[in-house]
Amino acid sequence: DIVMTQTPLSSPVTIGQPASISCRSSQSLVHNDGNTYLSWLHQRPGQPPRLLIYKISNRFSGVPDRFSGSGAGTDFTLKISRVEAEDVGVYYCMQATLDVTFGQGTRLEIK
Amino acid sequence: QVQLVESAGSVVQPGRSLRLSCAGSGFTFNHFGMHWVRQAPGKGLEWVAQISYDGSNEYYADSVKGRFTISRDNSKNTLYLQMNSLRPEDTAVYYCAKDDIGDEDAAWGRGTLVTVSS
């Protein structure tokens, strides 16, 4: 199984400041078809996960452009350019290149 | 728009069985593989099972292999998860999700809570 490791596990941030979450996979996420199936999801308390980013850097419809994804191979990053109050919650990376596995989650909280 | 709606959750005793369903709409159901993902209270996300668009292929997490069965009825646009020999550690919110789960076609349901307790 591909193991996904996120850092940090908790991130206190100030509203208006940037935030960054890293995700590392135990092996390359480049699929045989040439795509890299690395996604980011956001979950607010008591809510289902919301899809943010697919294939490393593509935002789902309705996702604000303050969210951006980057990376390649085994190392990936989610960045929020200016954190807003509604961004609190837990962020998960997910790989779907080989089966499906998730990172352990990163809790974003406001200072 | 795409909608995935799971059946109502339940409280079941350890060792008993339960079947979940997930009704899909807003897309051509029989063109897409489907998944079940679960989340234990206060924990992270865990992929449970996957079925191909036509039901010919099934895949399971080791934690549920031999106890859970994923199936689908394309005539009813419905996905199922038959859960047998339930354990307290199966207590979780169960989400159905549409393929491609890692691509722009992805969609998730809102989830249903299954509690395994005596």
Side-chain angles (χ1 to χ4, degrees):
Chain A
D1 290 4
I2 297 179
V3 177
M4 306 296 288
T5 303
Q6 290 182 227
T7 54
L9 296 183
S10 179
S11 180
V13 296
T14 302
I15 289 178
Q17 294 300 302
S20 179
I21 301 169
S22 295
C23 177
R24 176 167 291 179
S25 57
S26 60
Q27 64 189 73
S28 173
L29 297 186
V30 179
H31 193 275
N32 289 340
D33 65 8
N35 290 306
T36 299
Y37 295 102
L38 185 285
S39 302
W40 290 95
L41 299 85
H42 173 219
Q43 187 174 36
R44 298 188 182 103
Q47 296 294 314
R50 173 195 180 197
L51 301 169
L52 290 180
I53 302 280
Y54 65 96
K55 289 194 293 190
I56 302 177
S57 59
N58 298 276
R59 284 187 299 274
F60 280 93
S61 175
V63 174
D65 60 7
R66 65 178 183 275
F67 290 93
S68 65
S70 63
T74 61
D75 289 284
F76 306 93
T77 302
L78 175 71
K79 291 183 179 177
I80 309 174
S81 58
R82 294 173 307 279
V83 170
E84 298 188 5
E86 65 183 21
D87 298 338
V88 298
V90 180
Y91 290 81
Y92 296 94
C93 61
M94 181 196 83
Q95 70 80 19
T97 292
L98 179 62
D99 299 329
V100 177
T101 50
F102 297 89
Q104 65 271 61
T106 295
R107 185 172 302 278
L108 189 76
E109 50 197 21
I110 303 300
K111 281 183 184 174
Chain B
Q1 75 279 22
V2 173
Q3 278 201 309
L4 297 168
V5 180
E6 296 92 347
S7 53
S10 182
V11 178
V12 295
Q13 293 180 328
R16 303 298 291 265
S17 299
L18 182 69
R19 189 177 79 161
L20 301 180
S21 63
C22 168
S25 61
F27 64 102
T28 306
F29 188 80
N30 62 8
H31 284 190
F32 292 91
M34 298 291 294
H35 301 255
W36 287 100
V37 176
R38 70 183 180 182
Q39 185 173 34
K43 302 297 184 183
L45 298 165
E46 178 189 19
W47 174 82
V48 172
Q50 176 186 2
I51 189 167
S52 58
Y53 70 99
D54 60 356
S56 61
N57 292 291
E58 304 162 26
Y59 308 92
Y60 298 93
D62 288 344
S63 57
V64 306
K65 202 173 293 183
R67 299 188 300 121
F68 289 12
T69 302
I70 188 171
S71 63
R72 63 191 299 158
D73 185 339
N74 285 343
S75 69
K76 296 181 179 178
N77 289 352
T78 301
L79 173 73
Y80 300 101
L81 185 67
Q82 177 68 42
M83 303 184 292
N84 298 332
S85 302
L86 281 162
R87 305 166 179 169
E89 55 265 36
D90 295 318
T91 294
V93 174
Y94 285 76
Y95 299 99
C96 63
K98 166 189 168 292
D99 262 343
D100 287 310
I101 196 172
D103 209 332
E104 61 185 320
D105 286 338
W108 289 49
R110 296 194 61 81
T112 187
L113 176 61
V114 173
T115 303
V116 183
S117 173
S118 53

